[in-house]
Every structure is written in structure tokens, then in C-alpha cells.
Amino acid sequence: MTVRRSSGYLGAAGAFAVCMAGTTLPTPLYGLYQEQIGFSELMVTVVFAVYAFGVIGVLLLVGNVSDQVGRRPVLLVGLGCAAAAAVAFLAEQGLPLLFVGRLLSGFSAGLFTGTATAYVLELAPSGRGARAGFVATAANMGGLGLGPLLSGLLAEYTSHPLTLPYLVHLALLAASFAVTWALPETVAAARPLREARPRRPSLPPQVRGVFVPSAIAAFAGFALLGVFTSVTPAFLAQDLDVHNHAAVGAIVFLAFFASTAGQLLVPRLGASRAIPLGCLVLIAGLALLALSLATETLLPLVLAALVGGAGQGMGLRGAVGQVADASPPEAHGGVLSALFVVAYFGISIPVIGIGLLTGPLGLTHAALIFTACMAALAAASGIYLLRHRTP
């Protein structure tokens, strides 16, 4: 059975969300892993960084392979990697399999981010390009948010906190595999998967003018999300005495939910205005995060998730829209993958920096240094984008 093209973009978006949910599923569980295995806060950030480098490696090596072999085969391989990651977490007996699970999660996200975004845009019926752009980025951010919410609830209110979340995810992956298998291919003259040849990512000349400002905004926004998915659980437990896994998952979910809500504002603002305004809102979210860290209070952290997430969503959707509109159809997958390479560097580098500084300075002071650096970067980005706005 083949899914109708008119509704196929929603099926692709559903598979996108399920795959991305698996990448954040362990977020509320890191405390349990620390108790079971015994490792430091630095190791939490290293485990998280393994995922980010897995994403970056795939995007750099095969980010544009779907332009050659088609979108559907690449997404099916990505779902296979996500299932293998869930199995690694289920079999986990120590750090090695934890690293393997995170690396495989990174592979799945790397195969999905650019390819699934391009696929959703291409499957959308004529005249629904703007809606499809929102659906694609909402599936990405919404999936990332649903992962910790699901695992947090299951960890807190069931007797199998380190197994049930992955079993549920495997069931969702099986359904997503069936849906993706039934979707039509959008790449004309797609070659067999065995004929895929990795190529270094490159930007067509017409894309370069909008790519740099869009990528800067994506970097700053993803850096904030990196902190919420890697450091916030430890801050809640150590400094705010919040040990409820469902509450941890819900706070992380708020950042991604706000990102999705912020994306709804972009069509009214226009991408060229949404990106610098998103940087401004992001700075406000970083200020609230700094306030929560400095005063060890919960309310500013919740507000930071909402405000910072909204700013990240505005910047991301504006960036994806500008880059996709500027790139030729035959280069969609590669160009969008290149954008997400920069974004995932934003997740990995600051998080590793916090992990390295936590030992000598403590988690709070390390995170405060992060917020100051990211606020400066976002301010510089916003000023640059205002001066070089693209119509």
C-alpha cells in the first residue's frame, strides 16, 4: 500500500518526530544511570557529546546522500539505527553500551534531520509550502520534546524506568517504519542505496549569502537546547532538590514545546525579521536561565525554557525557510544537512565546555559562564542579521 502524496508529508513528519524522540529519551534517566553505573557529571556531558558528534559525522559524510539515492531509503536506515540504539540501552550493563546507544542515536538523527526536512517539504501539496515548513520543524522540535516527557513519566510512575521507555519507543519505530515504507519517493531517477557515494557537503553559490546568518542563529539556539537536555537534570537534582523524573522531563519538554510555538510566529514576521528577533528573545531566555542558576530558584528556569525555546524556534524556522528557498531542489538534502551540522556543533561544544568547567568551578558557575558566552554570541548574531537582512 502506498500513502497518498497529499497526506504523505504528515506521515513523514510523524516518523521524523518518533525518531527524534528517541534521541532525548535518556535525558531524565541520566541520574538513574549515574546511580547504577557510577560516573561524574563530566561523563554525562561526554555521553551527550557522543550523540552530537554522531549526528555531525553522519551529516558531514552522507548528509547529501539522499539527493542521490532518494529520501525514503535513507530514512529507513535511520529508523534502523534508532531501533539498534534502543536495543543497546535495553542491554546496557555499563558505560560502553551507553556510549554505543548514544552514538547510534546520533546516527539516526543525522540521517533524519536534513533528509526528513527536505522530504516533508517535497511531499507537501502545492500551495502548502509554508505549512509544510512548520510541520517539518515542529516534528523535529516536538519529537525532541516528547522524548524526555515520555521517559520521565514512565520512569517516575512505573516499576521499569530503564526498560519500558525503550520498549515503547521500539513499538513506535515499527509503526514509523511501516508508514515510511509506504511513502512515495520524491527524488527523480534515484539510484539504488548500494550506489551511494559520500560527498563532502557543499553550498550552491545562490545559498551562501543566506546560509551564514541562518547558521549563526541555529548555532546559538541549539546551544541553549543542549544545556536543557544535558545539564538541567543535574541542576534540578543537586541545586533545586527536584528528584521527580516526570518533573524533569516536563521542564525539558517545555523548551521544545515553546520552540514549536515560536515557529508559528515566523509566517507573520517573515524569515528575515524572525531570525534577529529570535536572537533577541533567546537572549532574554538566557538571562532567565542565569537568574535561576544564580538564585537557585525554579520559576526562572521554567520561564527560561519557555522564553528561550520560543526564541530558538523562531530562529530555526526562519533559518530553514531561508536556506530551503534559496537552494535548488536537487541540493535540498545536502544544504539542509549542512545547516544542521552547524546547529549540532552548537549543542556539542558548549555542553562539553560546561562539563570541563564543572570540576574546578562547580556546575552553577560553569553554566553561568555558558549563558554569558551564548548571550554575547546571540547579540552579535542579531546585530549582524539586522545589518545584512535578506528580503
Side-chain angles (χ1 to χ4, degrees), residues 65-385:
V65 75
S66 71
D67 295 327
Q68 306 169 42
V69 304
R71 314 299 184 205
R72 198 166 58 119
V74 173
L75 296 189
L76 292 173
V77 173
L79 290 170
C81 289
V87 171
F89 279 113
L90 285 171
E92 173 272 321
Q93 295 295 325
L95 274 175
L97 279 178
L98 206 59
F99 281 124
V100 170
R102 292 304 286 154
L103 187 63
L104 288 168
S105 292
F107 289 165
S108 68
L111 290 168
F112 255 82
T113 46
T115 300
T117 301
Y119 201 25
V120 171
L121 293 171
E122 292 162 358
L123 283 171
S126 178
R128 294 190 182 177
R131 178 183 296 181
F134 168 71
V135 168
T137 49
N140 192 345
M141 292 297 108
L144 289 168
L146 287 172
L149 184 64
L150 173 64
S151 61
L153 289 169
L154 292 176
E156 187 65 29
Y157 300 114
T158 70
S159 56
H160 302 284
L162 295 180
T163 56
L164 194 56
Y166 303 108
L167 292 173
V168 172
H169 190 233
L170 280 171
L172 294 172
L173 287 169
S176 299
F177 192 94
V179 170
T180 305
W181 185 272
L183 291 174
E185 183 53 66
T186 58
V187 175
R191 302 198 298 271
L193 187 60
R194 65 178 179 274
E195 296 183 14
R197 296 294 181 270
R199 294 182 302 183
R200 290 186 303 172
S202 59
L203 297 176
Q206 61 268 46
V207 180
R208 294 168 189 168
V210 300
F211 184 85
V212 171
S214 300
I216 292 172
F219 180 96
F222 268 65
L224 176 67
L225 294 182
V227 169
F228 270 98
T229 51
S230 64
V231 177
T232 295
F235 174 65
L236 285 167
Q238 296 174 16
D239 296 87
L240 301 183
D241 200 29
V242 176
H243 299 279
N244 185 292
H245 302 295
V248 172
I251 291 173
V252 176
F253 166 77
L254 282 178
F256 292 102
F257 171 79
S259 172
T260 306
Q263 294 168 33
L264 289 170
L265 301 174
V266 174
R268 296 183 180 182
L269 297 170
S272 62
R273 284 182 292 186
I275 300 177
L277 183 58
C279 287
L280 180 62
V281 177
L282 185 66
I283 292 170
L286 288 165
L288 287 165
L289 177 59
L291 178 62
S292 176
L293 293 166
T295 61
E296 297 185 359
T297 49
L298 181 60
L299 180 59
L301 182 66
V302 175
L303 294 176
L306 291 170
V307 176
Q312 187 274 343
M314 293 166 64
L316 178 64
R317 188 179 178 190
V320 168
Q322 283 206 320
V323 168
D325 288 345
S327 65
E330 66 273 12
H332 265 168
V335 169
L336 288 170
S337 292
L339 176 68
F340 283 108
V341 165
V342 179
Y344 275 93
F345 270 117
I347 279 186
S348 57
I349 294 174
V351 167
I352 294 173
I354 290 176
L356 291 172
L357 291 175
T358 296
L361 300 179
L363 178 63
T364 299
H365 287 93
L368 282 170
I369 291 174
F370 156 81
T371 57
C373 293
M374 288 304 102
L377 178 61
S381 303
I383 294 170
Y384 175 88
L385 291 161

